[in-house]
Amino acid sequence: MSARSARPERGGWRASPHLWFWVLTGPFLAGLAMFVVVPIGWSVWLSLFEARNTVTPTHFVGLDNYRAMLGDPAFRSSLVTFVVFAVIVVPLTFAGSLALAVLVNGVRLFQRFFRSVFFLPMACSYVAASLIWRGSIFPGVPTGVANTALRAVGLEPVAWLSVVDPPWYWLVLVTVRLWLQLGFYMILFLAALQRVPRHLYEAAALDGASAWTTFTRITFPQLRPVSVAVLLLATVNAFSAFDEFYGVMATAQGYPPYARPPLVYLYYVAVGNGQDFGSGGAGGVILTVLIALFALLQGRLTGMLRRGGR
């Protein structure tokens, strides 16, 4: 047999792995470039110009838009809302989803049913859920599911969306976010729980370890990688809050202090009457940098905790 005949036949250009890589990933990369990369680059470019009511500005202003946004008290107030909402929602999301995962993992019958029920809110639109919370459960009038329950136990109705103290609207904003996202993070924890080696629990049972000791010494340390992922995802999602704030508070008596996050504020700046795309782009860049810094800081802290726990 000759050396030429011993060579495997080539399939031509169809057998090229590079071709099929681009065939499979090309549509995704094209959509990513069109709907993510190009808009981000366009926003950065607009942020360097005075762009009012136009997306083709000519007057270059450099960093003036950034200085104006950082000096705007309303924008700084929205950044405080940004942080407060994350500080409230992220720990509650982490603890709630972990608790649900532990409970569902301990169920032997109908586990798939409970897993589906808790995950089902993920299929609901944030806008639709916000409208349901505002219109049916926590309306700004003495009706609705929550006020009916309060009257049933002898308590007075509450104006949930009032802009005066106490700030009950925070309860509305936080509960709708928790209802929407707990199921997703529960699935992540549940997948990690089902990968914990069973022999660790058997050894703990032989040693007479309590349920709390088993959880703190075995279960939770095994969940550290997914815990880092959940914290990071929940933080980024909290910092990008828009739908619930806009849907719940838009028809209330204006936006009370610390109840308008940056995305809502930038929406009014760029799409409102002024249509100041330059300032809106500068605010978007500032917000992106802050989210990246928070993510890096959180990753560094969680990495230090993970190394310290070894």
Side-chain angles (χ1 to χ4, degrees):
M1 182 180 297
S2 64
R4 181 176 181 179
S5 60
R7 294 176 182 174
E9 294 184 1
R10 296 181 179 180
W13 60 271
R14 293 192 184 95
S16 173
H18 303 290
L19 169 69
W20 293 110
F21 170 81
W22 289 113
V23 167
L24 295 175
T25 63
F28 170 77
L29 294 176
L32 182 67
M34 182 179 300
F35 298 108
V36 178
V37 177
V38 172
I40 290 176
W42 192 264
S43 297
V44 174
W45 185 75
L46 286 176
S47 69
L48 301 175
F49 290 82
E50 183 177 349
R52 293 181 182 272
N53 301 307
T54 179
V55 293
T56 57
T58 57
H59 180 54
F60 181 80
V61 296
L63 300 178
D64 288 351
N65 288 326
Y66 291 90
R67 285 191 286 267
M69 291 302 294
L70 292 175
D72 186 354
F75 182 66
R76 294 201 301 267
S77 174
S78 70
L79 294 178
V80 175
T81 304
F82 183 76
V83 176
V84 171
F85 186 67
V87 168
I88 295 173
V89 167
V90 173
L92 290 177
T93 298
F94 184 88
S97 58
L98 178 57
L100 285 178
V102 172
L103 292 174
V104 173
N105 189 57
V107 174
R108 294 292 174 257
L109 297 176
F110 304 108
Q111 185 179 109
R112 293 183 179 178
F113 169 77
F114 289 110
R115 185 172 57 192
S116 301
V117 167
F118 288 124
F119 185 77
L120 192 60
M122 279 296 300
C124 182
S125 166
Y126 274 59
V127 175
S130 301
L131 294 176
I132 293 172
W133 249 245
R134 186 190 70 191
S136 299
I137 301 178
F138 297 101
V141 294
T143 58
V145 175
N147 282 329
T148 300
L150 290 177
R151 280 196 295 267
V153 296
L155 299 177
E156 292 295 325
V158 174
W160 300 102
L161 301 182
S162 174
V163 299
V164 298
D165 292 331
W168 291 112
Y169 51 85
W170 275 101
L171 179 64
V172 183
L173 296 169
V174 170
T175 52
V176 66
R177 170 57 71 100
L178 292 177
W179 182 78
L180 284 165
Q181 68 180 13
L182 278 182
F184 171 74
Y185 298 112
M186 180 205 71
I187 293 296
L188 299 182
F189 276 122
L190 189 60
L193 284 171
Q194 293 175 350
R195 296 181 58 184
V196 177
R198 303 305 305 176
H199 69 269
L200 297 178
Y201 293 117
E202 295 172 358
L206 292 175
D207 291 339
S210 63
W212 177 250
T213 302
T214 302
F215 176 78
T216 55
R217 298 295 181 86
I218 297 177
T219 304
F220 192 69
Q222 294 291 322
L223 299 179
R224 281 202 180 99
V226 73
S227 297
V228 173
V230 167
L231 285 173
L232 182 60
L233 291 173
T235 302
V236 173
N237 287 334
F239 285 165
S240 60
F242 175 84
D243 295 330
E244 57 267 58
F245 281 89
Y246 185 80
V248 170
M249 303 303 298
T251 58
Q253 302 97 320
Y255 282 90
Y258 309 120
R260 183 169 62 176
L263 288 182
V264 175
Y265 174 74
L266 295 177
Y267 172 81
Y268 284 111
V269 169
V271 188
N273 295 329
Q275 291 191 349
D276 190 351
F277 299 116
S279 297
V285 173
I286 294 171
L287 188 61
T288 302
V289 172
L290 289 177
I291 292 175
L293 291 176
F294 269 101
L296 290 174
L297 178 61
Q298 186 186 64
R300 180 66 59 87
L301 292 176
T302 52
M304 291 172 59
L305 291 175
R306 186 166 56 181
R307 289 192 297 269
R310 289 177 181 174

